[in-house]
Amino acid sequence: MNRWPQLTLTDRAAAVCAVVAGYRSYAAIAEWVADVPATTALALGMTADRRPSEAMIRRLLQAVDPQLLTAAISVWLAGRAIAVDGKTLRGSRTTDTVARHVMTACDQATGVVLASIDVDGKTNEITRFAPLLDQISDLRDTVVTADALYCQREHVTYLARRGAYWILTVKGNQPHLHAEP
């Protein structure tokens, strides 16, 4: 089943470009499309008299399966450098629950989150490293950066098996490696 309504590739590309550029509402996306320079419009396949309207953009975005779109964008962005880190979400703790802790893999150039995973109280970030990166279909030729917590032999083996490169901070958790000149 086609998840895109009867819109051209140009219409889809224009909407995606506007969102990537930071435009969030239907009106703002339509404004971006209307104001995009002629050279950009031509590169997207638009002509001055044929640009998608706000109504067309609204129909397009309402018909998109968000999980499929996220997966497609993740595949597109995954060919870059990816930073892995975990954070406790500020304000997520209540009187009944502990604060939520999440690990993310972010595109270093754009800051876009490519994958995320919860780290519950029964585990830690070290055990969630591979499941986090398993959400990204292709890590070949991607550089993964992470702090000393992730400098683990199992992580290096995992990244090598996936065809990725890595830059990991070395501290006291790897004493022999840390002692190397």
Side-chain angles (χ1 to χ4, degrees):
M1 175 181 166
N2 183 2
R3 297 196 185 277
W4 298 90
Q6 293 130 338
L7 300 174
T8 67
L9 179 59
T10 299
D11 300 331
R12 293 178 236 167
V16 169
C17 288
V19 171
V20 170
Y23 293 79
R24 298 293 181 247
S25 70
Y26 300 127
I29 294 168
E31 181 179 315
W32 182 90
V33 168
D35 294 342
V36 71
T39 54
T40 303
L42 285 173
L44 289 171
M46 292 185 282
T47 61
D49 61 337
R50 172 64 180 91
R51 296 189 184 197
S53 66
E54 180 182 347
M56 187 178 288
I57 291 166
R58 177 178 283 112
R59 287 193 310 272
L60 163 75
L61 295 177
Q62 288 173 345
V64 170
D65 179 323
Q67 290 179 326
L68 289 177
L69 180 60
T70 299
I73 291 171
S74 293
V75 167
W76 175 69
L77 288 174
R80 299 184 164 104
I82 297 172
V84 172
D85 202 7
K87 296 290 180 221
T88 300
L89 300 181
R90 185 178 183 174
S92 63
R93 185 177 66 110
T94 67
T95 55
D96 301 38
T97 61
V98 297
R100 185 172 174 212
H101 194 80
V102 177
M103 277 179 64
T104 59
C106 296
D107 178 273
Q108 288 187 1
T110 64
V112 172
V113 174
L114 303 173
S116 68
I117 195 164
D118 283 322
V119 180
D120 63 22
K122 298 175 182 145
T123 188
N124 61 47
E125 290 182 36
I126 293 171
T127 64
R128 305 303 284 157
F129 184 82
L132 170 71
L133 292 175
D134 283 342
Q135 296 176 50
I136 302 171
S137 63
D138 188 4
L139 289 179
R140 284 176 295 176
D141 299 323
T142 300
V143 177
V144 176
T145 64
D147 62 26
L149 176 67
Y150 306 102
C151 188
Q152 306 288 326
R153 286 178 184 89
E154 298 82 21
H155 295 166
V156 170
T157 301
Y158 169 84
L159 292 169
R161 190 174 63 250
R162 298 277 317 268
Y165 301 100
W166 53 90
I167 300 173
L168 303 173
T169 304
V170 178
K171 289 188 176 177
N173 63 332
Q174 296 293 334
H176 296 312
L177 186 58
H178 189 254
E180 289 289 318

